[in-house]
């Protein structure tokens, strides 16, 4: 990666690091490639938003692109990127064949964010009031689309060890097509810890999460209807602040001062509100990936109570930053205990710092990832020859999606 290379990121949305963990993740990837001397262009068919990051500040070129429009072919051919990063499988579906046709020598990476098919299958099982089974994935249309996208790419970045293992064992994806790359954080040092508010200086419970994400809305509903009344029974004066971008009317109607359940809307500075809270509550009942809100809590020195799904693939064999339970009464009791007991709270805080420093440091992954990219670029054709299923899917995609897209483009004219 020593010579000047071009990275094209095709984004599902423009990055909003203050709105979602996905936005923060994208900025981490941009930083990683920037440090390797890449010239970066970020392209997206999404509408601009009031909260999108100013990419120019990061010396990243911004380009609006259109779906089903051959203007992209001209753009990508002129740009001639050496690496293309698709932000979620939907972008690979839309633009992957165009990249393959116009820039056949570009390394194609897919950032899965989380495994969409797993999240949706779990959500359907939950709403059907039954336990999730891996067989649910086989009947999920999104799974067929997502796995096809993974196979067509040269390498897919996995944020969760659990999901990487699932793809290898259940879907028999070759290990050479998958790469574990979680959130990439800076170490938490003693000086930072000393600057954080103390146990006594903190107050209130907090939930934080983007409300465009269904698991977050469901968790808030669960808190309001089931868990928070149990906590308030033991702590009558307790207050819970619900923060999150894009709250819908059904979220806003939960606001109840008398019950201490306050809908605060978007946080101007998420870290500021989390580090001044004493405890994060995250009763997630379905979902996938690893949870940015819980990592952020650890960075802020704020313990948390969450579910098995919430903590999935996050802690390895280390103790949690608080408590993990799916039992409603245990969840409420753990929250009350952590909120009141300084000794347990301080131990939980230290556990969170250990998790960040042992499992999520940028320096643990950066060099190996750079080597992996270099290795793939050096022998890309051989790598692709060993991926016959991907080549077959690419062939059929070029002959189906391509002509469907051409037809839509002609119809739009």
């Amino acid at each position: 990666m020593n010579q000047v290379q071009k990275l094209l990121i095709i984004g599902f949305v423009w990055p909003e690091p203050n709105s979602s963990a996905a936005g923060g993740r994208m900025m981490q990837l941009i930083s990683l490639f920037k440090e390797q001397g890449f010239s970066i262009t970020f392209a997206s068919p999404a509408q601009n938003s009031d909260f999108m990051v100013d990419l120019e500040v990061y010396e990243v070129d911004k380009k609006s692109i259109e779906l089903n429009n051959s203007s992209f072919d001209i753009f990508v051919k002129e740009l001639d990127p050496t690496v293309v990063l698709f932000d979620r499988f939907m972008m690979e579906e839309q633009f992957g064949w165009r990249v393959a046709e116009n820039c056949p020598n570009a390394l194609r990476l897919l950032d899965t964010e989380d495994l969409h098919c797993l999240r949706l299958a779990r959500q359907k099982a939950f709403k059907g009031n039954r336990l999730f089974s891996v067989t649910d994935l086989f009947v999920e249309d999104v799974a067929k689309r997502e796995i096809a996208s993974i196979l067509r790419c040269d390498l897919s970045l996995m944020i969760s060890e659990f999901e990487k293992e699932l793809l290898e064992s259940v879907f028999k994806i070759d290990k050479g097509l998958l790469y574990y790359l979680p959130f990439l954080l800076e170490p938490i040092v003693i000086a930072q810890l000393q600057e954080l508010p103390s146990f006594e200086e903190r107050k209130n419970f907090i939930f934080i999460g983007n409300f465009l994400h269904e698991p977050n809305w469901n968790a808030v509903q669960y808190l309001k209807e089931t868990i928070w009344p149990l906590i308030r029974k033991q702590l009558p004066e307790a207050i819970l602040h619900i923060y999150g971008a894009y709250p819908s009317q059904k979220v806003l109607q939960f606001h109840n001062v008398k019950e201490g359940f306050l809908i605060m809307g978007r946080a101007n500075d998420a870290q500021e509100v989390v580090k001044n809270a004493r405890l994060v509550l995250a009763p997630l009942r379905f979902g996938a990936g690893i949870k940015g809100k819980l990592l952020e809590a650890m960075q802020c020195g704020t313990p948390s109570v969450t579910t098995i799904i919430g903590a999935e693939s996050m802690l390895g064999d280390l103790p949690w930053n608080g408590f993990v339970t799916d039992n409603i009464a245990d969840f409420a009791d753990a929250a009350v205990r952590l909120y009141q007991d300084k000794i347990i709270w301080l131990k939980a805080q230290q556990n969170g710092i250990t998790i960040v420093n042992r499992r999520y440091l940028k320096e643990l992954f950066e060099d190996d990832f750079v080597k992996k990219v270099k290795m793939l670029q050096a022998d890309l054709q051989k790598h692709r020859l060993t991926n016959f299923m991907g080549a077959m899917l690419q062939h059929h995609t070029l002959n189906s999606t391509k002509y469907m897209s051409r037809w839509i483009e002609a119809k739009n004219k």
Side-chain angles (χ1 to χ4, degrees), residues 207 214-224 282-285:
F207 172 91
E214 179 73 15
N216 288 334
W217 146 247
N218 182 268
V220 169
Q221 188 177 26
Y222 193 33
L223 277 168
K224 169 72 174 173
L284 299 157
R285 291 189 280 183

Side-chain angles (χ1 to χ4, degrees), residues 211 217 246-255 263:
F211 288 109
W217 146 247
Y246 305 107
S248 63
Q249 189 55 44
K250 60 184 181 180
V251 174
L252 295 173
Q253 70 185 11
F254 279 157
H255 184 81
I263 308 299

